[in-house]
Amino acid sequence: MNVTLQSWRRLWGELGAREINGGVFNQLVAAHSERHRHYHTLQHLRECLAHCDAAGTLARHPAEVELALWFHDAVYDPRRDDNEERSADWAQRSVVAAGCDPAVGERVRHLVLATQGHAPSEDIDTQLVVDIDLAILGAAAERFADYERQVRAEYAHVPEDAYRIGRARVLQDFLDRPRIYGTAAYHDALEQRARANIGQSLSALRV
């Protein structure tokens, strides 16, 4: 799925919007193009939307899942720990401003916030958003290696030793989980490769 104004307008129509703000689309594209971003970019957004296009039929509210993916990295500053909260607030404000049902805004806000800790959930829409965000862990080896380099570039301000310790802690947390992916579809397709990718990355970090 492409990041286009046409797809943006189609999405808001599915959400029941009375007004469609093309300015927010431009703001999101600009945000994902910020110079300090290397992984959380338009490339990541496009990859997430492509997954949504392929797996959206699993969702209870597919348009809300898609909108959450548009916004889940809308605010991204590697030096802060409130990016998801700020992104979720922006998403909810946009839903309200568009004249959608307030319940839509609440659900989208919850979905964006779920990408903060990627915690397990019983809700299928939450599972799907989290799985799509984590799909990169199960990417082909070359793309996963690019991802690791991109993440390191976003944390260029962190000294090497501290980065290795922190990154290893994050990856080990995923490896220690009974399962990385909540949905059966993503678990069956990506779990094994994600664990192999993470294991190789941890070995490199601990050299």
Side-chain angles (χ1 to χ4, degrees), residues 12-13 15-21 94-102:
W12 283 99
L15 290 164
R18 292 197 299 268
E19 297 183 13
I20 300 175
N21 190 340
S94 297
V95 170
V96 171
C100 300
D101 186 333

Side-chain angles (χ1 to χ4, degrees), residues 51 54-59 124 127-128 131-132 135 179 181-192:
H51 276 283
T57 55
L58 300 175
I124 183 61
Q127 288 180 356
L128 191 56
D131 282 2
I132 288 173
R179 55 189 291 160
Y181 298 104
T183 62
Y186 275 84
H187 180 268
D188 293 347
L190 299 181
E191 185 86 17
Q192 185 174 358

